[in-house]
Structure formats: structure tokens, C-alpha cells
Amino acid sequence: MVTIYDIAAQAGVSAMTVSRVINNTGKISDKTRAKVQRVMDELNYVPNHMARSLVLQQSKLLFLLITDITNPFYTTLARGAEDAAKKSGYRLLFGNSDESSQKEKDYIDTILSTRADGVLIAPASDSSLPHLESLRRHNVPFVLLDREVPGMGSDVVLGDTKEGARKLVDHLISLGHRRIALINGLPTISSARLRLEGFREALKLGDLAYDEQYVLESAFEPKSDLSDIESWLDSMDPAPTAIVAGNNVLAVEVIRTLHARGLRVPDDLSVVGFDDLGPYSEIDPFLTVIAQQAYQFGYLGMQMLIERIEERGAAAQPWRRVVLPAELVVRRSVAKLPE
Amino acid sequence: MVTIYDIAAQAGVSAMTVSRVINNTGKISDKTRAKVQRVMDELNYVPNHMARSLVLQQSKLLFLLITDITNPFYTTLARGAEDAAKKSGYRLLFGNSDESSQKEKDYIDTILSTRADGVLIAPASDSSLPHLESLRRHNVPFVLLDREVPGMGSDVVLGDTKEGARKLVDHLISLGHRRIALINGLPTISSARLRLEGFREALKLGDLAYDEQYVLESAFEPKSDLSDIESWLDSMDPAPTAIVAGNNVLAVEVIRTLHARGLRVPDDLSVVGFDDLGPYSEIDPFLTVIAQQAYQFGYLGMQMLIERIEERGAAAQPWRRVVLPAELVVRRSVAKLPE
DNA sequence: CTGTTAGCGCCTTCAG
DNA sequence: CTGAAGGCGCTAACAG
């Protein structure tokens, strides 16, 4: 491994001079600078980020931690974050927590030990609290995306989830549906809780009773075992005429399960969901959804993060909370019921 | 920042003892271990991996560099790489080069200075050569995914691309198609070249002439300007009855363009492609494709990478080249033509 | 079983 | 303008 000492020896200067050339600090004669530069090129020198960070106690690296890298909502968000980071001259690395608190913890450790300057994070669940506290304790700025964590104040970018759930239910009611079911994420996730709240409120406003048997709480991420969904579908009596899915993954899982038992959407049952299915849904628009502005989640979140990083030392600003609108996109997965 | 010295002082032992507890090395009395452990918990100690890597000269960090984070092929691949890395106790970070050679270079620099133990990389194009040479020079093992780079020997995981292209064309021919067009990636990408070769061979075997006007070379990644596709579609005379798309992104772009001009698939024109559209295509299987084993690309590639890392110093093994099969999945985007 | 010494590669501080 | 000394947090090698 080539170090600044190797460069220094070759160039006949001290390591300190090399360091100054690299960081463009202090005053150096053009001749010395040129010589050092030449030797660095010859030896293919690459600065050691770890040694550097050890001394400086900081890097120029940002992290984005998402919970499901195969979910188009998060990958689109990632592109937004990337573009915003690039615009400000930061580098961005990604991590995938897979909705697992343990994996999230591992990433947080990696992030802490890599001395990232900041983190954009979609927390796995409420149990992410200790991880966020750890970031806070170590003075690493972060911005939460899509989900909040009770007990942790911070900047955050959210979707207008409750309103989205209401719009979905209203849409179903307006088409004559009266028995509406909800398959949702786990209640340890703030966005799932809001979806349930919005769902209940919309039912109440529509003069429909809330019936617990019509609600299933499953996991937001893709899974191979869908037996909980299967038995839930079988158990509901009378069967619902429409199902609201808490995210795109659940929507797909419900529809697949329905297909597997010979039921067609929307002929036999209507299905609506949250979040679009990615650019690929465009070729055959099928699922009626609440489309969230995924790219904006990442872009705005990254801007807020960078502002926090760069205002460091200045008077602490109050936490900011951005709520992005939820738009209903009507396609063809809902049937109009006879009066 | 809490260091092992703080722990040591609090616990009344030496820093070395703390280090041993953390790494579970050497022999330590249960009492000492318990005491140290307790202090670590109290002080919320987080080990500094940079300091650790500095002395160990290895980071246990691996990188995966993909070219399009919004493409389900790559995200599924990423999940495979992640699982394999985890199984061997490595951490994995992701980067997205966006098919850009410049962004790729930036990531390679980050990777080098972060002293990653190895890199899994889908190269942006043939012009990635200098970046790979840089990795090699610095002794960072890497495995190429999906694409090769002429002039650079290495382990590589490829799809059976040529065979895939042949199957696609054969399928079209068997359904009566005679005027078959190809929209492909840029010829600076090895997989695009192979697709074209397979395409031409299949035409020849089917006694069909190769006609240059039926081939368009566009970019593999999503773009907002589709005018090249539009004018190509207009220009072909006589119009083709079927189009082969070099990847899923191109397939979607072609279909969208067709829809925009009121043409239906497959009624007016048949379309087939490479790579599936992600888990979400399952709810409404439409596009006939060559499905590649994306997860396996990542999983096997990661295994090969880790083997390289851990065999270090042993006699150099010859490069390995894994070719994964290409499976034709027939759905409903192809029309059967009358005799 | 536990402690001491030295150094990983780099940068800050203080001298020239 | 340039250099020497010291230390960031940690662990290998050697001593007890």
C-alpha cells in the first residue's frame, strides 16, 4: 500500500508536504507541488479514507438506509436522494435493512464507524429508537423518511398517509362497496398505524362499522409464506367486496393469493393499494393506488440532511416536518357494485 | 466519543483487556468479562471500525456497484449478494453508477479509499476498463456481473445471453413472424453485443435476412427523451410485426411509445424482452421474456468474491466464468400470425 | 489470565 | 514555505 511517506521519500520532501498538496492547504511552492503530484500519479496513490477519518473525525460520505431495495418506492426514492447528494458534492452509499431491526443496527454500526457525515433513513419500525439514539449520541445528523419513531424528534419527510387511506376508502364507498377489508403492515410502523387510522375514519364518515375481522396485520416486505393471508381471506364472513393494501408489496401478495384460488380482480373482488408498482406498471396500468412522490421523498430529505450538516454549529433550528401529498390514481382494479 | 480507554478506566482494567472482550479473543475471566461488558453497555460504546481496519488492514466491507438501482433485475441481484455476504459475515454497501462511467469512477475512488475488501460490479461499459485496472493495481478483488470488459481477465457471472436472444427470435418465428426488429443497448456493453449476435444467428437459422433498419441501439437505463425510439418506429418500412427488446427498461419504453401512438400489444405489434419486470409483473403477467436468474447473479457472484478474498496468498486460481441459463417465459405479448 | 509497547496512515500544532 | 512530534482508536506481539 502506497502511503504519503512513500510519496514523500520519492519526492524528497516530508510527509507533511504531501499531505498539504493532497488537501490543498497551506502554502506550497509550485515546483514542490508539481513534483509531489507527479510522484503520486506514478505510484497510483489513493488516500486512505480510514486513517483520514480517524484524525478528522468526519468523512464526506452520506448514507441512505432503506427497508426494501426491491420495492420501487424505495429505489425511486434512492434516485432522488442520489441526485440531491450529487448536486451538493457529497457521495452517497446505500444500505438495505430488509425491514429487520437487527440488520438496521448492523448498518448503523457501519455508518458510525465509517464516520458518515449524515444519514437518510427509513426506519424499520418503532424499535429503531435505540439506533437513532445512537446516531444522535454520536452527533450524526439524520433525516427520517416515510416513517416516524415515537420518542425521537428529528427532521422528517412523510406522506400524507391518513389522507391517502381516506381517499382510497372514499373511492371504494363511492363505487358501492360496503364491506371493505384492510391488509396492513405491522402496527409497530408509524405509517401502518396512520393507514389504519385513516381507514377507520373514512369508514366512520361513510357510516360503515369497523369490524376487526376485516383487518390483517402482515409484514410490509416480500415473504415466501403467505399462509396468513390465505387463512385471513378464508376466515372473513361475510367476505369483503374490496381490499385496501397498506403498500405495493401487500397488494401484490393479496392479488397473487386471490389468483391462486381462482378469484379475479376486480370481477370477484376489488383491490387498491399504497405506492405504485414502479415504472413497469406503466405498460399495463392495472392497480388503483395512492401514488406517493417517491423521488421527492429522497430529494427533499437529502436537501434537509445536507442543510443540517452544513449549518452545524449554528443555532439549532427546530425540527422540520415535510408532508408530501397523496394522489389517488384510478385504474381498473376496482369494480362498480350494483346499488 | 467513548473509546476502549474510557471503558478500561471505568472498569479498572487495561485497554487490551477491553479489546479482548470485544473481539472475544484470548482467555478472560468471567468476572472481568462481565465487568467490562457492563461498563460498555453503560457508556453506550460503539467500536470504531476505522481504527480497527487501520491496524488490521482489512475492513470486512464489501461493495456492490450496479448500473440502475430502479431496475428490478439489479435489485433482485442485490438481495442475492446481500444474503451471500451476510452468510459469510461481511457487510455490504451499494452504489449506483446509473450507467455512467464518470459516476462509476467516483464510486471506485470511494471504494479504494474506504479500503473495501472486495467489489461486486456490473460495469457501465467497455470504458470501465481503467476503473477495473485501478482496482486490480490496488489489489482489491472483484467479480464482474452480467457484463464483461474486453482486456480485463476476472471472475465473472454472465447470463446465457446469446442463447436467450436465439430463443426469443425462434419463438417469434414459430408464431409466424418474419419481420423482426431489435431495440438494443449500446454496443459498448458486452451483453448488448451478445444479444445482437444471437439475434442475427437466429435470423440466419430461420432463413430470414438481417436488415439494419430493424435495429436501434439506445440506452439501457430509463430516460425521459424517447424521441429516438419514436423516429425509429416511424422509419421502419415495411413495419416489423415484432420487436425484441434488449432489456426490461427498453421493453417498457417501446410499449409506452406504441401505446402513445394508439398501437396495442400484441394486437398491432408483438413485443418480447430480456429480464423480468420484478415481482410486480406477477399480478398481471403480460410480457413474454427471457427471465434471468437475477438473485443467483448476486448470490453466486458474492460467493466467488468472498472465496477470492479468503484464498488470498494461496496459489492464484484461474479465473472462473459462470454462465447462468436463460429461460423463455411465454406470456401474452406475442400474437400468432396467420400463415 | 492480563498488561505494555509499538504502529496502522494521516493531520494538527508548533517550530523553524 | 517546510518539517518534526504527537495522537486519532485499535490490536498484534510480546511480557509478565
mmCIF file of all heavy atoms in Angstrom, chain A residues 159-196:
data_model
loop_
_atom_site.group_PDB
_atom_site.id
_atom_site.type_symbol
_atom_site.label_atom_id
_atom_site.label_comp_id
_atom_site.label_asym_id
_atom_site.label_seq_id
_atom_site.Cartn_x
_atom_site.Cartn_y
_atom_site.Cartn_z
ATOM 1 N N GLY A 159 -45.427 11.012 3.966
ATOM 2 C CA GLY A 159 -46.517 11.110 3.013
ATOM 3 C C GLY A 159 -47.787 11.453 3.781
ATOM 4 O O GLY A 159 -47.861 11.236 4.990
ATOM 5 N N ASP A 160 -48.742 11.983 3.080
ATOM 6 C CA ASP A 160 -49.999 12.303 3.748
ATOM 7 C C ASP A 160 -50.827 11.017 3.814
ATOM 8 O O ASP A 160 -51.841 10.851 3.136
ATOM 9 C CB ASP A 160 -50.739 13.394 2.989
ATOM 10 C CG ASP A 160 -51.847 14.002 3.831
ATOM 11 O OD1 ASP A 160 -52.106 13.468 4.928
ATOM 12 O OD2 ASP A 160 -52.453 14.978 3.385
ATOM 13 N N THR A 161 -50.376 10.144 4.676
ATOM 14 C CA THR A 161 -50.837 8.769 4.713
ATOM 15 C C THR A 161 -52.295 8.613 5.122
ATOM 16 O O THR A 161 -53.049 7.861 4.515
ATOM 17 C CB THR A 161 -49.953 7.984 5.699
ATOM 18 O OG1 THR A 161 -48.625 7.991 5.191
ATOM 19 C CG2 THR A 161 -50.432 6.567 5.834
ATOM 20 N N LYS A 162 -52.651 9.349 6.163
ATOM 21 C CA LYS A 162 -54.010 9.221 6.652
ATOM 22 C C LYS A 162 -54.988 9.681 5.584
ATOM 23 O O LYS A 162 -55.982 9.016 5.304
ATOM 24 C CB LYS A 162 -54.164 10.109 7.897
ATOM 25 C CG LYS A 162 -54.831 9.418 9.045
ATOM 26 C CD LYS A 162 -54.556 10.153 10.327
ATOM 27 C CE LYS A 162 -55.836 10.656 10.930
ATOM 28 N NZ LYS A 162 -55.580 11.310 12.228
ATOM 29 N N GLU A 163 -54.663 10.808 4.991
ATOM 30 C CA GLU A 163 -55.496 11.338 3.918
ATOM 31 C C GLU A 163 -55.550 10.330 2.759
ATOM 32 O O GLU A 163 -56.607 10.133 2.147
ATOM 33 C CB GLU A 163 -54.900 12.668 3.434
ATOM 34 C CG GLU A 163 -55.584 13.298 2.259
ATOM 35 C CD GLU A 163 -57.023 13.665 2.560
ATOM 36 O OE1 GLU A 163 -57.383 13.722 3.759
ATOM 37 O OE2 GLU A 163 -57.801 13.871 1.609
ATOM 38 N N GLY A 164 -54.420 9.706 2.469
ATOM 39 C CA GLY A 164 -54.383 8.708 1.399
ATOM 40 C C GLY A 164 -55.330 7.555 1.680
ATOM 41 O O GLY A 164 -56.090 7.119 0.808
ATOM 42 N N ALA A 165 -55.288 7.072 2.903
ATOM 43 C CA ALA A 165 -56.164 5.955 3.274
ATOM 44 C C ALA A 165 -57.621 6.366 3.120
ATOM 45 O O ALA A 165 -58.452 5.597 2.618
ATOM 46 C CB ALA A 165 -55.873 5.524 4.713
ATOM 47 N N ARG A 166 -57.907 7.604 3.530
ATOM 48 C CA ARG A 166 -59.292 8.086 3.410
ATOM 49 C C ARG A 166 -59.737 8.114 1.954
ATOM 50 O O ARG A 166 -60.819 7.649 1.604
ATOM 51 C CB ARG A 166 -59.395 9.498 4.000
ATOM 52 C CG ARG A 166 -59.687 9.486 5.486
ATOM 53 C CD ARG A 166 -60.130 10.865 5.946
ATOM 54 N NE ARG A 166 -59.305 11.312 7.056
ATOM 55 C CZ ARG A 166 -58.408 12.267 6.985
ATOM 56 N NH1 ARG A 166 -58.219 12.925 5.862
ATOM 57 N NH2 ARG A 166 -57.697 12.577 8.047
ATOM 58 N N LYS A 167 -58.868 8.653 1.107
ATOM 59 C CA LYS A 167 -59.231 8.747 -0.315
ATOM 60 C C LYS A 167 -59.524 7.375 -0.903
ATOM 61 O O LYS A 167 -60.459 7.186 -1.677
ATOM 62 C CB LYS A 167 -58.087 9.396 -1.099
ATOM 63 C CG LYS A 167 -57.999 10.895 -0.943
ATOM 64 C CD LYS A 167 -56.888 11.453 -1.829
ATOM 65 C CE LYS A 167 -56.744 12.951 -1.655
ATOM 66 N NZ LYS A 167 -55.542 13.465 -2.340
ATOM 67 N N LEU A 168 -58.706 6.421 -0.508
ATOM 68 C CA LEU A 168 -58.876 5.058 -1.025
ATOM 69 C C LEU A 168 -60.240 4.508 -0.604
ATOM 70 O O LEU A 168 -61.004 3.978 -1.423
ATOM 71 C CB LEU A 168 -57.752 4.181 -0.454
ATOM 72 C CG LEU A 168 -56.723 3.513 -1.364
ATOM 73 C CD1 LEU A 168 -56.569 4.167 -2.707
ATOM 74 C CD2 LEU A 168 -55.390 3.396 -0.645
ATOM 75 N N VAL A 169 -60.553 4.651 0.667
ATOM 76 C CA VAL A 169 -61.821 4.117 1.178
ATOM 77 C C VAL A 169 -63.005 4.876 0.576
ATOM 78 O O VAL A 169 -64.004 4.273 0.159
ATOM 79 C CB VAL A 169 -61.850 4.188 2.723
ATOM 80 C CG1 VAL A 169 -63.234 3.792 3.238
ATOM 81 C CG2 VAL A 169 -60.782 3.272 3.311
ATOM 82 N N ASP A 170 -62.871 6.207 0.499
ATOM 83 C CA ASP A 170 -63.945 7.002 -0.106
ATOM 84 C C ASP A 170 -64.228 6.544 -1.534
ATOM 85 O O ASP A 170 -65.376 6.433 -1.955
ATOM 86 C CB ASP A 170 -63.555 8.495 -0.124
ATOM 87 C CG ASP A 170 -63.623 9.100 1.263
ATOM 88 O OD1 ASP A 170 -64.167 8.432 2.160
ATOM 89 O OD2 ASP A 170 -63.128 10.226 1.442
ATOM 90 N N HIS A 171 -63.139 6.297 -2.251
ATOM 91 C CA HIS A 171 -63.286 5.851 -3.636
ATOM 92 C C HIS A 171 -64.076 4.543 -3.689
ATOM 93 O O HIS A 171 -65.004 4.400 -4.507
ATOM 94 C CB HIS A 171 -61.902 5.673 -4.245
ATOM 95 C CG HIS A 171 -61.898 5.130 -5.631
ATOM 96 N ND1 HIS A 171 -62.447 5.799 -6.709
ATOM 97 C CD2 HIS A 171 -61.423 3.961 -6.131
ATOM 98 C CE1 HIS A 171 -62.291 5.076 -7.803
ATOM 99 N NE2 HIS A 171 -61.673 3.954 -7.484
ATOM 100 N N LEU A 172 -63.748 3.641 -2.811
ATOM 101 C CA LEU A 172 -64.441 2.348 -2.784
ATOM 102 C C LEU A 172 -65.913 2.539 -2.422
ATOM 103 O O LEU A 172 -66.810 1.950 -3.051
ATOM 104 C CB LEU A 172 -63.760 1.407 -1.778
ATOM 105 C CG LEU A 172 -62.358 0.939 -2.167
ATOM 106 C CD1 LEU A 172 -61.696 0.193 -1.016
ATOM 107 C CD2 LEU A 172 -62.411 0.059 -3.418
ATOM 108 N N ILE A 173 -66.142 3.358 -1.423
ATOM 109 C CA ILE A 173 -67.526 3.593 -0.994
ATOM 110 C C ILE A 173 -68.341 4.208 -2.135
ATOM 111 O O ILE A 173 -69.473 3.813 -2.395
ATOM 112 C CB ILE A 173 -67.554 4.516 0.250
ATOM 113 C CG1 ILE A 173 -66.984 3.767 1.465
ATOM 114 C CG2 ILE A 173 -68.984 4.979 0.546
ATOM 115 C CD1 ILE A 173 -66.930 4.598 2.738
ATOM 116 N N SER A 174 -67.706 5.135 -2.840
ATOM 117 C CA SER A 174 -68.427 5.824 -3.921
ATOM 118 C C SER A 174 -68.802 4.855 -5.034
ATOM 119 O O SER A 174 -69.708 5.118 -5.815
ATOM 120 C CB SER A 174 -67.573 6.960 -4.480
ATOM 121 O OG SER A 174 -66.522 6.422 -5.274
ATOM 122 N N LEU A 175 -68.106 3.754 -5.114
ATOM 123 C CA LEU A 175 -68.436 2.762 -6.146
ATOM 124 C C LEU A 175 -69.325 1.655 -5.585
ATOM 125 O O LEU A 175 -69.477 0.600 -6.192
ATOM 126 C CB LEU A 175 -67.157 2.178 -6.750
ATOM 127 C CG LEU A 175 -66.402 3.169 -7.645
ATOM 128 C CD1 LEU A 175 -65.052 2.605 -8.067
ATOM 129 C CD2 LEU A 175 -67.239 3.518 -8.886
ATOM 130 N N GLY A 176 -69.857 1.895 -4.401
ATOM 131 C CA GLY A 176 -70.868 0.977 -3.874
ATOM 132 C C GLY A 176 -70.364 -0.077 -2.909
ATOM 133 O O GLY A 176 -71.119 -0.941 -2.460
ATOM 134 N N HIS A 177 -69.079 -0.030 -2.572
ATOM 135 C CA HIS A 177 -68.559 -1.049 -1.658
ATOM 136 C C HIS A 177 -68.950 -0.743 -0.215
ATOM 137 O O HIS A 177 -68.925 0.407 0.217
ATOM 138 C CB HIS A 177 -67.033 -1.138 -1.784
ATOM 139 C CG HIS A 177 -66.606 -1.686 -3.112
ATOM 140 N ND1 HIS A 177 -66.388 -3.028 -3.325
ATOM 141 C CD2 HIS A 177 -66.396 -1.080 -4.300
ATOM 142 C CE1 HIS A 177 -66.042 -3.224 -4.595
ATOM 143 N NE2 HIS A 177 -66.043 -2.058 -5.222
ATOM 144 N N ARG A 178 -69.331 -1.785 0.504
ATOM 145 C CA ARG A 178 -69.750 -1.617 1.888
ATOM 146 C C ARG A 178 -68.929 -2.503 2.837
ATOM 147 O O ARG A 178 -68.753 -2.186 4.001
ATOM 148 C CB ARG A 178 -71.238 -1.965 2.043
ATOM 149 C CG ARG A 178 -72.186 -1.006 1.334
ATOM 150 C CD ARG A 178 -72.160 0.378 1.975
ATOM 151 N NE ARG A 178 -72.943 1.355 1.213
ATOM 152 C CZ ARG A 178 -72.449 2.123 0.246
ATOM 153 N NH1 ARG A 178 -71.164 2.040 -0.072
ATOM 154 N NH2 ARG A 178 -73.210 2.990 -0.384
ATOM 155 N N ARG A 179 -68.472 -3.623 2.348
ATOM 156 C CA ARG A 179 -67.627 -4.491 3.179
ATOM 157 C C ARG A 179 -66.193 -4.361 2.676
ATOM 158 O O ARG A 179 -65.807 -4.987 1.685
ATOM 159 C CB ARG A 179 -68.114 -5.940 3.110
ATOM 160 C CG ARG A 179 -69.471 -6.137 3.780
ATOM 161 C CD ARG A 179 -69.782 -7.613 4.001
ATOM 162 N NE ARG A 179 -69.658 -8.401 2.785
ATOM 163 C CZ ARG A 179 -70.586 -8.435 1.811
ATOM 164 N NH1 ARG A 179 -71.707 -7.747 1.926
ATOM 165 N NH2 ARG A 179 -70.394 -9.169 0.741
ATOM 166 N N ILE A 180 -65.425 -3.527 3.383
ATOM 167 C CA ILE A 180 -64.072 -3.184 2.941
ATOM 168 C C ILE A 180 -63.049 -3.703 3.945
ATOM 169 O O ILE A 180 -63.141 -3.410 5.140
ATOM 170 C CB ILE A 180 -63.936 -1.651 2.799
ATOM 171 C CG1 ILE A 180 -64.980 -1.141 1.795
ATOM 172 C CG2 ILE A 180 -62.538 -1.279 2.361
ATOM 173 C CD1 ILE A 180 -65.068 0.369 1.721
ATOM 174 N N ALA A 181 -62.101 -4.467 3.449
ATOM 175 C CA ALA A 181 -61.082 -5.043 4.328
ATOM 176 C C ALA A 181 -59.761 -4.284 4.179
ATOM 177 O O ALA A 181 -59.553 -3.560 3.199
ATOM 178 C CB ALA A 181 -60.886 -6.518 4.010
ATOM 179 N N LEU A 182 -58.885 -4.460 5.154
ATOM 180 C CA LEU A 182 -57.574 -3.800 5.114
ATOM 181 C C LEU A 182 -56.477 -4.801 5.433
ATOM 182 O O LEU A 182 -56.522 -5.475 6.468
ATOM 183 C CB LEU A 182 -57.539 -2.663 6.148
ATOM 184 C CG LEU A 182 -56.163 -2.027 6.407
ATOM 185 C CD1 LEU A 182 -55.700 -1.220 5.193
ATOM 186 C CD2 LEU A 182 -56.182 -1.144 7.646
ATOM 187 N N ILE A 183 -55.519 -4.927 4.527
ATOM 188 C CA ILE A 183 -54.313 -5.692 4.881
ATOM 189 C C ILE A 183 -53.205 -4.674 5.038
ATOM 190 O O ILE A 183 -52.896 -3.921 4.117
ATOM 191 C CB ILE A 183 -53.954 -6.782 3.847
ATOM 192 C CG1 ILE A 183 -52.677 -7.481 4.293
ATOM 193 C CG2 ILE A 183 -53.818 -6.229 2.432
ATOM 194 C CD1 ILE A 183 -52.400 -8.765 3.552
ATOM 195 N N ASN A 184 -52.637 -4.650 6.217
ATOM 196 C CA ASN A 184 -51.762 -3.551 6.586
ATOM 197 C C ASN A 184 -50.406 -4.070 7.059
ATOM 198 O O ASN A 184 -50.231 -5.256 7.311
ATOM 199 C CB ASN A 184 -52.443 -2.763 7.721
ATOM 200 C CG ASN A 184 -51.916 -1.352 7.845
ATOM 201 O OD1 ASN A 184 -51.148 -0.899 6.991
ATOM 202 N ND2 ASN A 184 -52.330 -0.666 8.894
ATOM 203 N N GLY A 185 -49.454 -3.156 7.184
ATOM 204 C CA GLY A 185 -48.172 -3.519 7.774
ATOM 205 C C GLY A 185 -48.320 -3.690 9.276
ATOM 206 O O GLY A 185 -49.405 -3.481 9.833
ATOM 207 N N LEU A 186 -47.261 -4.039 9.941
ATOM 208 C CA LEU A 186 -47.317 -4.244 11.381
ATOM 209 C C LEU A 186 -47.505 -2.918 12.115
ATOM 210 O O LEU A 186 -46.997 -1.882 11.682
ATOM 211 C CB LEU A 186 -46.028 -4.918 11.853
ATOM 212 C CG LEU A 186 -45.774 -6.280 11.201
ATOM 213 C CD1 LEU A 186 -44.463 -6.871 11.689
ATOM 214 C CD2 LEU A 186 -46.933 -7.226 11.483
ATOM 215 N N PRO A 187 -48.231 -2.949 13.225
ATOM 216 C CA PRO A 187 -48.558 -1.721 13.947
ATOM 217 C C PRO A 187 -47.352 -1.107 14.660
ATOM 218 O O PRO A 187 -47.478 -0.055 15.288
ATOM 219 C CB PRO A 187 -49.606 -2.176 14.959
ATOM 220 C CG PRO A 187 -49.388 -3.633 15.120
ATOM 221 C CD PRO A 187 -48.841 -4.134 13.831
ATOM 222 N N THR A 188 -46.210 -1.737 14.545
ATOM 223 C CA THR A 188 -45.001 -1.138 15.104
ATOM 224 C C THR A 188 -44.401 -0.128 14.131
ATOM 225 O O THR A 188 -43.339 0.434 14.394
ATOM 226 C CB THR A 188 -43.950 -2.219 15.389
ATOM 227 O OG1 THR A 188 -43.790 -3.007 14.213
ATOM 228 C CG2 THR A 188 -44.393 -3.110 16.534
ATOM 229 N N ILE A 189 -45.047 0.069 12.989
ATOM 230 C CA ILE A 189 -44.561 1.018 11.994
ATOM 231 C C ILE A 189 -45.537 2.174 11.902
ATOM 232 O O ILE A 189 -46.736 1.975 11.697
ATOM 233 C CB ILE A 189 -44.410 0.330 10.620
ATOM 234 C CG1 ILE A 189 -43.388 -0.806 10.722
ATOM 235 C CG2 ILE A 189 -44.005 1.329 9.551
ATOM 236 C CD1 ILE A 189 -43.256 -1.628 9.461
ATOM 237 N N SER A 190 -45.024 3.385 12.037
ATOM 238 C CA SER A 190 -45.907 4.548 12.155
ATOM 239 C C SER A 190 -46.815 4.705 10.949
ATOM 240 O O SER A 190 -47.988 5.046 11.079
ATOM 241 C CB SER A 190 -45.090 5.819 12.375
ATOM 242 O OG SER A 190 -44.408 6.190 11.196
ATOM 243 N N SER A 191 -46.286 4.455 9.760
ATOM 244 C CA SER A 191 -47.108 4.657 8.570
ATOM 245 C C SER A 191 -48.264 3.654 8.533
ATOM 246 O O SER A 191 -49.352 3.960 8.059
ATOM 247 C CB SER A 191 -46.262 4.540 7.301
ATOM 248 O OG SER A 191 -45.636 3.278 7.240
ATOM 249 N N ALA A 192 -48.034 2.464 9.061
ATOM 250 C CA ALA A 192 -49.114 1.476 9.116
ATOM 251 C C ALA A 192 -50.200 1.938 10.083
ATOM 252 O O ALA A 192 -51.398 1.813 9.812
ATOM 253 C CB ALA A 192 -48.563 0.110 9.539
ATOM 254 N N ARG A 193 -49.783 2.500 11.196
ATOM 255 C CA ARG A 193 -50.769 2.995 12.161
ATOM 256 C C ARG A 193 -51.638 4.090 11.550
ATOM 257 O O ARG A 193 -52.857 4.112 11.726
ATOM 258 C CB ARG A 193 -50.051 3.526 13.412
ATOM 259 C CG ARG A 193 -49.454 2.433 14.270
ATOM 260 C CD ARG A 193 -49.044 2.980 15.634
ATOM 261 N NE ARG A 193 -47.953 3.954 15.555
ATOM 262 C CZ ARG A 193 -46.662 3.651 15.611
ATOM 263 N NH1 ARG A 193 -46.290 2.388 15.744
ATOM 264 N NH2 ARG A 193 -45.748 4.586 15.553
ATOM 265 N N LEU A 194 -50.989 4.984 10.803
ATOM 266 C CA LEU A 194 -51.754 6.069 10.192
ATOM 267 C C LEU A 194 -52.718 5.550 9.135
ATOM 268 O O LEU A 194 -53.809 6.077 8.945
ATOM 269 C CB LEU A 194 -50.800 7.092 9.570
ATOM 270 C CG LEU A 194 -50.055 7.947 10.584
ATOM 271 C CD1 LEU A 194 -49.052 8.843 9.876
ATOM 272 C CD2 LEU A 194 -51.033 8.786 11.390
ATOM 273 N N ARG A 195 -52.278 4.518 8.445
ATOM 274 C CA ARG A 195 -53.164 3.953 7.434
ATOM 275 C C ARG A 195 -54.414 3.369 8.085
ATOM 276 O O ARG A 195 -55.529 3.557 7.600
ATOM 277 C CB ARG A 195 -52.410 2.876 6.643
ATOM 278 C CG ARG A 195 -51.666 3.486 5.463
ATOM 279 C CD ARG A 195 -50.440 2.751 4.994
ATOM 280 N NE ARG A 195 -49.458 3.772 4.613
ATOM 281 C CZ ARG A 195 -48.461 3.600 3.757
ATOM 282 N NH1 ARG A 195 -48.265 2.439 3.200
ATOM 283 N NH2 ARG A 195 -47.652 4.588 3.476
ATOM 284 N N LEU A 196 -54.188 2.697 9.196
ATOM 285 C CA LEU A 196 -55.333 2.134 9.912
ATOM 286 C C LEU A 196 -56.251 3.251 10.417
ATOM 287 O O LEU A 196 -57.478 3.174 10.267
ATOM 288 C CB LEU A 196 -54.847 1.277 11.094
ATOM 289 C CG LEU A 196 -55.955 0.678 11.966
ATOM 290 C CD1 LEU A 196 -56.889 -0.194 11.124
ATOM 291 C CD2 LEU A 196 -55.373 -0.144 13.117
#
